[in-house]
Amino acid sequence: MTTLNKYLRQKHEALLDRRARVRRGDLSAVTMEASASAEGRSGVRRIRIRDFQVISDSPPDFAGYNLGPSSPELLLGALSSCLTHTFLIYASDQGVPLESLNAEVSATIDLRAGAEGYEDVPVYPQDINYLVTLVSPASTADVARLQATVEKLCPILNLLKRGNEVRGQLDHQQPDHHIRSAD
């Protein structure tokens, strides 16, 4: 079985290069973008991020076809990925060897939220918990220092813990009367 240690050396080199580019002024804030569109008849959401596509869908009991994770599940997946990546970054930075690394995330969502009699129940995932399991010969103190760094610097973890202002707009367009819908 291969471990993550060879990859951590590669990650450390990339981290050093990125820090050098920051010092030189070669890197600054960037705008990230994602879009989603609903597919006709199925309602499946096709998410586009850079050159990648991800399908999001609902379970059958909510008129979905179970072709992909739901949006709240994708959020938990993003958190598990971000935690894992942040552990990799700072394990490489702090010289903490890793044999293996796994992040599991769970949350509760009340499917009655917003329904009659449940208007005050939050519609978003709550009680988010994560468990990171890592196998490492490092000392308990080194792993605790790594965890503290991750909890301070993991972008998605901190977004969820601290929140963020979200501004929205709606562009309502009327259908072209010359094009007929194929419902």
Side-chain angles (χ1 to χ4, degrees):
M1 178 172 124
T2 60
T3 68
L4 290 167
N5 292 312
K6 185 175 181 182
Y7 175 73
L8 290 178
R9 289 188 291 278
Q10 182 182 346
K11 178 63 84 179
H12 187 70
E13 291 301 316
L15 184 60
L16 293 175
D17 179 61
R18 180 172 279 209
R19 286 178 177 157
R21 291 187 299 154
V22 168
R23 282 192 303 274
R24 288 192 310 264
D26 295 343
L27 294 179
S28 61
V30 297
T31 299
M32 297 183 294
E33 296 182 34
S35 66
S37 58
E39 302 284 322
R41 177 62 187 109
S42 70
V44 167
R45 280 81 63 203
R46 185 175 306 275
I47 301 167
R48 292 172 181 83
I49 303 168
R50 292 188 285 140
D51 294 330
F52 305 100
Q53 292 189 39
V54 177
I55 298 296
S56 178
D57 196 10
S58 302
D61 72 339
F62 205 41
Y65 295 91
N66 215 27
L67 297 173
S70 67
S71 299
E73 290 169 323
L74 286 169
L75 174 72
L76 299 183
L79 176 56
S80 67
S81 175
C82 196
L83 282 163
T84 303
H85 188 227
T86 307
F87 265 96
L88 290 170
I89 292 168
Y90 294 103
S92 77
D93 190 40
Q94 297 174 8
V96 175
L98 295 178
E99 303 292 317
S100 64
L101 175 64
N102 183 63
E104 298 177 30
V105 177
S106 66
T108 302
I109 190 164
D110 192 330
L111 302 178
R112 302 169 296 180
E116 186 176 333
Y118 298 93
E119 295 87 357
D120 295 333
V121 173
V123 298
Y124 49 85
Q126 303 174 73
D127 302 319
I128 300 172
N129 293 283
Y130 72 85
L131 170 64
V132 172
T133 303
L134 59 83
V135 177
S136 173
S139 71
T140 302
D142 286 345
V143 171
R145 187 180 76 231
L146 173 59
Q147 180 183 8
T149 302
V150 168
E151 289 189 350
K152 179 181 178 187
L153 298 175
C154 179
I156 302 300
L157 177 63
N158 282 285
L159 171 67
L160 292 171
K161 286 168 56 174
R162 293 178 176 82
N164 196 7
E165 181 179 341
V166 178
R167 293 174 295 280
Q169 297 179 355
L170 174 67
D171 178 13
H172 175 196
Q173 300 178 5
Q174 293 292 323
D176 185 352
H177 296 299
H178 302 290
I179 299 174
R180 300 197 62 144
S181 174
D183 292 320

